[in-house]
Amino acid sequence: MLKVGIIGAGRIGKVHGESISKYVKNAEVKAIADVFLNEATINWAREIGIQGVYKDYKKILEDPEIDAILICSSTDTHSKISIEAIRAGKHVFCEKPIDHDLARIKEVIDELNKSKVKYQVGFNRRYDHNFKAIRNAVVEGKIGEPHVLKITSRDPEPPSIDYVKVSGGIFLDMTIHDFDMARYLLGSDVVEVYAAGNVLVDNAIGEAGDIDTAIITLKMANGAMAVIDNSRQSSYGYDQRAEVFGSLGQVSVGNDSISKAVISTKDGVTSEKPLFFFLERYMQAYADEITEFIDAIVNNRDISVSADDGLKAVLIGEAATKSLKENRPVRISEIIY
Amino acid sequence: MLKVGIIGAGRIGKVHGESISKYVKNAEVKAIADVFLNEATINWAREIGIQGVYKDYKKILEDPEIDAILICSSTDTHSKISIEAIRAGKHVFCEKPIDHDLARIKEVIDELNKSKVKYQVGFNRRYDHNFKAIRNAVVEGKIGEPHVLKITSRDPEPPSIDYVKVSGGIFLDMTIHDFDMARYLLGSDVVEVYAAGNVLVDNAIGEAGDIDTAIITLKMANGAMAVIDNSRQSSYGYDQRAEVFGSLGQVSVGNDSISKAVISTKDGVTSEKPLFFFLERYMQAYADEITEFIDAIVNNRDISVSADDGLKAVLIGEAATKSLKENRPVRISEIIY
Amino acid sequence: MLKVGIIGAGRIGKVHGESISKYVKNAEVKAIADVFLNEATINWAREIGIQGVYKDYKKILEDPEIDAILICSSTDTHSKISIEAIRAGKHVFCEKPIDHDLARIKEVIDELNKSKVKYQVGFNRRYDHNFKAIRNAVVEGKIGEPHVLKITSRDPEPPSIDYVKVSGGIFLDMTIHDFDMARYLLGSDVVEVYAAGNVLVDNAIGEAGDIDTAIITLKMANGAMAVIDNSRQSSYGYDQRAEVFGSLGQVSVGNDSISKAVISTKDGVTSEKPLFFFLERYMQAYADEITEFIDAIVNNRDISVSADDGLKAVLIGEAATKSLKENRPVRISEIIY
Amino acid sequence: MLKVGIIGAGRIGKVHGESISKYVKNAEVKAIADVFLNEATINWAREIGIQGVYKDYKKILEDPEIDAILICSSTDTHSKISIEAIRAGKHVFCEKPIDHDLARIKEVIDELNKSKVKYQVGFNRRYDHNFKAIRNAVVEGKIGEPHVLKITSRDPEPPSIDYVKVSGGIFLDMTIHDFDMARYLLGSDVVEVYAAGNVLVDNAIGEAGDIDTAIITLKMANGAMAVIDNSRQSSYGYDQRAEVFGSLGQVSVGNDSISKAVISTKDGVTSEKPLFFFLERYMQAYADEITEFIDAIVNNRDISVSADDGLKAVLIGEAATKSLKENRPVRISEIIY
């Protein structure tokens, strides 16, 4: 029975804790740490049978019984705790992004190269049943050589302006998932990025130095191209679609909804909206990524979403940020770190 | 250039007249007759280039230049004019039903057997692109042996109570199309009918001696079964669907609409209603049935919807009427004529 | 913490055991009994933390700590164990049907009337997200007064011929779910049944005295009608659809599939088949029905699927069986018990 | 009765000729001219009742009875004949593009400014039922302020290499329709273009100096953005979709197909491919644009697709061509003519 520690007991830390307790037979959460520890978290931990509940995450790193940790704390702590955990010989699952600073990500990778621990980055969408279906169709050659990928990724509502200010910008906070998805679905690296963006949802986002609507074009190493469109606010819910067009055909996926009910009246034929947001849409994907992480440790398998994947998504994000600022296509090779 | 005469200048007579003038290269409408001839009809005829406009349909039957007639007058005149037209050596296209009285239909068929004219019954739905697609899938063996056919056929609004009183009842007026469709899609004859019905839309329909909602089960000669559900009033428009389930799969068709637009808002994901009624849904089918009729004459091909098909649909309707009245399954062989 | 005992460790007994351990916070499975107890079951029980594993279900009934039992054994034991459990003061969740013999069901109900225990019947489909969405639309008046219900229910493959011989026939084994669904979706009782059926899938089913394809028409107390079509073998998987048509509109639900992927090639536009069978399609529904059962006990709420519902579904099944045999509509009131 | 002359009897000239003869009540085609006049064209003209059939289009311009001409000849003749026709006082319908040379388009517009004739450019997609439905939803405010437009436009097969060499490049030949569509659907002008492209379909296209796959980003004057993706070869047929996302929702349209048939088998759930190419998809749109052109003349209404629209689409095409070549966003204002 693998013992796991969770650092950060926010929304996503709790999701992972519950996933392990429900779905992962060969692991248990032994301890959780949160710098803002409160009553609710303590009760929650007790209910699902977590023994250790700490303010200081170091207690988890120091526990020799704990084999693996999940880093679910705020972004600015990811790389620091990653390095400490690797040094402590713990396997690490780290929420995205590893860091906004590419040099810091490089340090994590350097530390990993000296170690034998496994390290997985939380690109949960790779585990989504719909996106996996696209990936499978591409890998199995059902659409031939991929030519064009289209990703639509729209949040139902913008984050708070306070968060916008520290998020690193839309490309590092939100589009980063789509950048990883482009690499995953096309099986190739990005070589050039052009980002167009505007503030159309909320002027306060613009005043905080960010945009809320974007169209990003990617040129891939294999000659394929990708286009991502983002919005911070979709009135009809979380819109998460993708489509790959290739020499022999096209594969696309739409959104999930609560039911398949279709109501026809004099006003039209109406079906349900997409599931509201990431917790609803990706609940099973979160469970599956943690299950794979534990399985990779227990059965010594390869991790499919590596620190290098984490680095590359941030690199693309940096290039997109630079492209938007300078209004020109930016090559990934221009980003120095 | 085949010369055609139209008897009856109501809605459907005009539809056929326009179809011939637009789509049928080797035919022209030479004359039209209507017992209630009015200014509007005269103008309409002039506009599309019809020379003869009469009150008395006999003038059409007497015109030696006219090779073919379309009987689009009221149902009670169909069999009489059919017989006169056959005797006059005209090819006949007759709107459904040939007659409510089976013996009268038999007389038409007897007359046909003595003649060489072609006779087509207006089961327009056989020419609908969607129902043809089902038929093709069945014939091509894509779903294996057919086991179960489901037809949903709902009108957007009931006819007038005056019409209900003379319509022959829902089974002879409305379901007759579905009875023919069952024979067409399953490629087999009906041997037994069970009809359940109720008055749920409008009590006045019940007071006029009819029902407005029905579920009819058919047993076919080849062992397959069919079920038809009808309503005289569908709030969302003309609902015309069918599905055949077989040993290897299933084929189904939905409704057509004006466009494929889908609007997603906070209230749901809404697409368009079905086309309103038969003129909208089956416009192309009407053109295609007339084109085939003319083609069968000009190129001496077989007619695909014969007087016998017309007879059989009425037979099933009679059996359904008897079944509803006696609340028991009725075999087609019980209907004597 | 409510203690639960499971009687019968077959497929469905295990499904419920796992649901309780994963999703039900205020209950735990204390013991399981199976007359054919084997190694695999013992290991499975150990893994999810069940203490007692017995051959003899009486040990569960005698355990004073156990408050509630789930009857998942073979159908012929349901009513007997139900009565024993009620007498032992245990709350009972019983898989459908309670018994093939209406008099035996009556005895269970009589016993319940003398007791205060809660009793739920396993009509899992009432908890399916899709069927609930239909029910909600009907209850909320979105389609007005319901007129016609259509249920399509097709299994991917027939049961073994050995099972067919003891199943009570297709109407008591398979259609029973659809009979309950008709009552649930239309909010009314069945008053008359007409069943048409045939052997189209496998002659061996006919030789065992059953049919494999059926169309059943139901007349409801409120004037609405329903039609159910069944097949024991659907080549494309478990087909579970329903549609309610009413005075203001229509609500329908289709099937669930593994993903929303749609692949377009020169051969057509292809999406995924329905989920294979009941374990795949109704997994969440099974969890939800057990969760509601436990919740009803713990919080003393009403049970929404009662023994009376179990009785009525069998009554309709008996009427359907009689209807098929005598080829005539049969009123529920004709079934004496 | 308005008399029309058609210049150019290729595929599209014949489409317009037949549309007028079938659908346009107040016009007739009096003459047609084609520099490559052949037997087939002469027979075709006779069949639909066209009196004059010439090699030399000037005979049409000189015919005082002819009020309006349709220019359906090769692109390099469009502007020249336009100017001659305007000078001859004929109303002009001109296929797109007016010219590849912006200065020549300017001359046409200058000539128009001195004249009172009506001039319509053949952007047929504006008349498509699906795109009109998007436009209506936007204009009626159903999706609020438009933020992002996505157009997918893929041909089923590339043109001949000979045509590629004289086509003016993919942006002027193919994407020009999408550029016009962006202006039409968003109700705003383009201010900047970024085009990414590659040769992925056929190297011969690259050798001819063109690309076959493109992603083009447009910034609009009103702040909205648009993205177009093109391919010269879609294995599953003509892919013509669009979607507008706005502050209150989203409207999208898919492709049309021959029927709504859906076949479910063990291999999946398969529906029909999109209609093959522009003649199939836009047949009704071609009829509607000509009907509107004739109506604008007869009833002196405004033309909705003007020479200015023709100019602007070419301007965007020129900017896209420059953007691809220089790999940078190009402002429309940079294009001098």
Side-chain angles (χ1 to χ4, degrees), chain C residues 26 46 51 63 71 95 99-100 143 153 156 171 176 181 187 205 212 219 221 269 273 282 309 312:
Chain C
N26 42 13
R46 210 165 278 155
Q51 296 171 34
D63 184 337
I71 304 178
E95 279 301 328
D99 206 295
H100 290 156
I143 62 151
S153 177
F171 299 133
I176 191 167
M181 192 48 62
I205 292 173
D212 52 37
K219 293 180 187 166
V269 176
K273 287 186 291 185
Y282 293 121
D309 292 316
K312 281 177 172 159

Side-chain angles (χ1 to χ4, degrees), chain C residues 17 67 76 78 108 137 167 228 246 265 267 276 283 303 307 325 333:
Chain C
D67 302 299
D76 58 334
H78 288 183
V108 172
S167 73
I228 298 160
T265 68
D267 300 320
F276 180 65
M283 190 49 80
I303 290 286
K325 202 174 151 196
S333 57

Side-chain angles (χ1 to χ4, degrees), chain D residues 218-237:
Chain D
L218 307 175
K219 294 181 186 166
M220 312 301 289
N222 64 1
M225 293 181 288
V227 63
I228 298 160
D229 71 282
N230 289 146
S231 171
R232 284 288 199 184
Q233 186 171 287
S234 160
S235 59
Y236 53 90

